Amino acid sequence: MQLTDVEKRILAGEQGEAKQIALEILVQMGDALEAETFIEVASVQAMAHFGSLHIAGRDWLEKLACLGGKCCVPTTQDPASIPFKYWEEMGYDAEYAKNQYRLQDAILKLGEMPKWSCTPYYQGSVPRVGQNIAWAESSAVSFANSVLGARTNRTPAGLAICAALTGRMPKYGLYLPENRVAQVKITVESERLTDLDYNTIGIIMGKKVGAKIPAIYGLPTSVTNDNLKYLGASAASSGAVALYHVDGVTPEALLTDVFAGKKPEEEFVITRRDLDEEAEKMNTEGVGEAELAVVGCPHYSSEEVIKLAERIGDRKVSPGKAFWVFTTAETENLMERMGLKEKLESAGIRLMAQTCLVISPLVGNFKNLITDSGKFASYLPSEHGIKIRYAGMEACVEAVME
Ligand code: F3S
């Protein structure tokens, strides 16, 4: 790679050992990817959850912190592997929790902002169109690339912290405009799409296109950011879609010809029948009556929690059942100020802020879950050996509330 004078000085150790190690790793990665230069990144979404990083990842972050490493760009991270407020009373293993707290100490020393969310774009980390960032977390990558028009690859967790310490990533993949051209044309032929349908569109899209870049036609311009959040998260879990364009909606589709004058490599149509059949397939065979409803993958936005609070009215969670809402600390805070946290809690609904069920142990004896998330439905059966019913938020309320 061609290095600038500043980069050469970092490699010589002039800015400390942590930064030197981080840049050495990025140079090796850049060489392997045949990148010619680095680009500067404006923000980093990293990872520090014990459920995926384990002891090796914990030791790696602690080592960088011990060496005096400091993030030089705003850095956030994915949800933690325990609910910080409730892990003890909910019965999480103390040793496991201790490791998560050690990771928290490390990221604080490194100067990360402890947001612990997969929706950093709702919590003040909002990149601009065309801005280079280095984000891990496939759903956030998809949102940043597609809905916001920023530029990032699916940054591996171990490298995200290197980007945070150096403010750099090798220039490759989706940082290059020529690699952002659409390859597959998808037309959605169904009117009146529900929130669940957007998850299902993403599931079908991911299965069919894998890691290619799709351009979607036929979605209403009234599509919400939450709808696109689910579409992208689902496509990134059933496939490896890091960028999609939506005709008349997403920035690159508004500003450019997403096919760059070329013909799509392939085309397909998604009909109402496809959506209903795929949604049916998402249910685990033999799933029984739901004992636990889980929503908020990606993290529920404030609007979604408000909608849920309106939906439940005066109802309570049925005895022996549970309802968990995965969300951010910021949304939890706002709900508290709006009086809705108390309402939800007195109905028996638990706001699980800053964590995620995929990357944490499932406590309790739950065997049959219901969720409104395509990503939860894709991962939870294999992660926790449980059965899933896939249905909208309203059905989650009906399933576990009196
Ligand atoms: Fe977020 Fe966990 Fe889902 S990180 S996207 S809630 S799997």
Side-chain angles (χ1 to χ4, degrees), residues 101-294:
Y101 277 106
R102 279 179 64 172
L103 276 160
Q104 176 165 257
D105 288 346
I107 64 147
L108 290 175
K109 280 191 192 124
L110 288 164
E112 292 189 21
M113 295 182 283
K115 298 270 181 182
W116 300 112
S117 175
C118 46
T119 57
Y121 45 86
Y122 283 165
Q123 326 306 327
S125 183
V126 191
R128 293 193 306 272
V129 175
Q131 200 167 35
N132 293 318
I133 57 176
W135 284 18
E137 170 47 43
S138 62
S139 69
V141 165
S142 167
F143 195 94
N145 272 322
S146 313
V147 183
L148 303 176
R151 295 179 183 176
T152 178
N153 294 296
R154 286 164 59 125
T155 311
L159 296 178
I161 187 63
C162 298
L165 296 181
T166 61
R168 286 165 170 75
M169 277 299 279
K171 189 175 182 181
Y172 77 105
L174 293 176
Y175 293 125
L176 303 164
E178 61 270 28
N179 292 337
R180 301 177 66 86
V181 173
Q183 296 154 294
V184 183
K185 181 176 178 186
I186 302 172
T187 307
V188 177
E189 287 182 357
S190 176
E191 286 173 12
R192 286 197 294 163
L193 295 165
T194 65
D195 291 344
L196 192 75
D197 286 334
Y198 285 97
N199 282 275
T200 315
I201 291 169
I203 294 287
I204 296 173
M205 185 167 102
K207 282 186 180 174
K208 291 212 181 194
V209 311
K212 288 186 178 173
I213 299 171
I216 310 170
Y217 293 75
L219 296 188
T221 49
S222 58
V223 60
T224 66
N225 281 350
D226 281 330
N227 293 150
L228 296 174
K229 171 184 80 173
Y230 289 116
L231 188 154
S234 297
S237 59
S238 64
V241 178
L243 164 64
Y244 60 88
H245 303 290
V246 180
D247 182 47
V249 175
T250 55
E252 280 159 275
L254 290 168
L255 298 169
T256 62
D257 167 12
V258 292
F259 285 102
K262 296 182 202 143
K263 276 193 156 184
E265 291 171 20
E266 46 185 299
E267 293 186 37
F268 64 91
V269 173
I270 297 176
T271 63
R272 166 51 50 198
R273 192 170 160 184
D274 296 326
L275 291 171
D276 293 343
E277 284 179 1
E278 190 63 36
E280 189 54 41
K281 278 193 238 159
M282 296 296 289
N283 295 308
T284 317
E285 206 182 323
V287 62
E289 187 183 324
E291 301 118 19
L292 169 64
V294 285

Side-chain angles (χ1 to χ4, degrees), residues 78-79 118 137 139 296-299 356 358-359 375-376:
D78 251 19
C118 46
E137 170 47 43
S139 69
C297 170
H299 277 170
C356 151
V358 170
I359 53 173
K375 185 168 176 180
F376 262 171

Side-chain angles (χ1 to χ4, degrees), residues 223-381:
V223 60
T224 66
N225 281 350
D226 281 330
N227 293 150
L228 296 174
K229 171 184 80 173
Y230 289 116
L231 188 154
S234 297
S237 59
S238 64
V241 178
L243 164 64
Y244 60 88
H245 303 290
V246 180
D247 182 47
V249 175
T250 55
E252 280 159 275
L254 290 168
L255 298 169
T256 62
D257 167 12
V258 292
F259 285 102
K262 296 182 202 143
K263 276 193 156 184
E265 291 171 20
E266 46 185 299
E267 293 186 37
F268 64 91
V269 173
I270 297 176
T271 63
R272 166 51 50 198
R273 192 170 160 184
D274 296 326
L275 291 171
D276 293 343
E277 284 179 1
E278 190 63 36
E280 189 54 41
K281 278 193 238 159
M282 296 296 289
N283 295 308
T284 317
E285 206 182 323
V287 62
E289 187 183 324
E291 301 118 19
L292 169 64
V294 285
V295 300
C297 170
H299 277 170
Y300 248 26
S301 64
S302 301
E303 290 84 351
E304 289 176 294
V305 181
I306 292 167
K307 209 167 139 189
L308 172 65
E310 281 168 3
R311 180 76 191 185
I312 63 167
D314 295 329
R315 300 172 70 177
K316 304 253 181 263
V317 173
S318 305
K321 297 194 172 188
F323 198 139
W324 297 347
V325 179
F326 293 85
T327 189
T328 63
E330 288 78 0
T331 288
E332 183 189 30
N333 229 308
L334 182 64
M335 294 309 113
E336 196 161 6
R337 283 184 277 136
M338 291 176 76
L340 293 180
K341 186 177 176 206
E342 200 187 334
K343 173 183 167 149
L344 290 164
E345 282 179 351
S346 51
I349 295 178
R350 174 149 278 181
L351 284 184
M352 303 275 269
Q354 300 187 305
T355 187
C356 151
L357 192 54
V358 170
I359 53 173
S360 68
L362 174 63
V363 292
N365 293 318
F366 304 108
K367 297 280 177 262
N368 298 285
L369 273 63
I370 184 167
T371 185
D372 64 351
S373 157
K375 185 168 176 180
F376 262 171
S378 297
Y379 288 150
L380 289 180

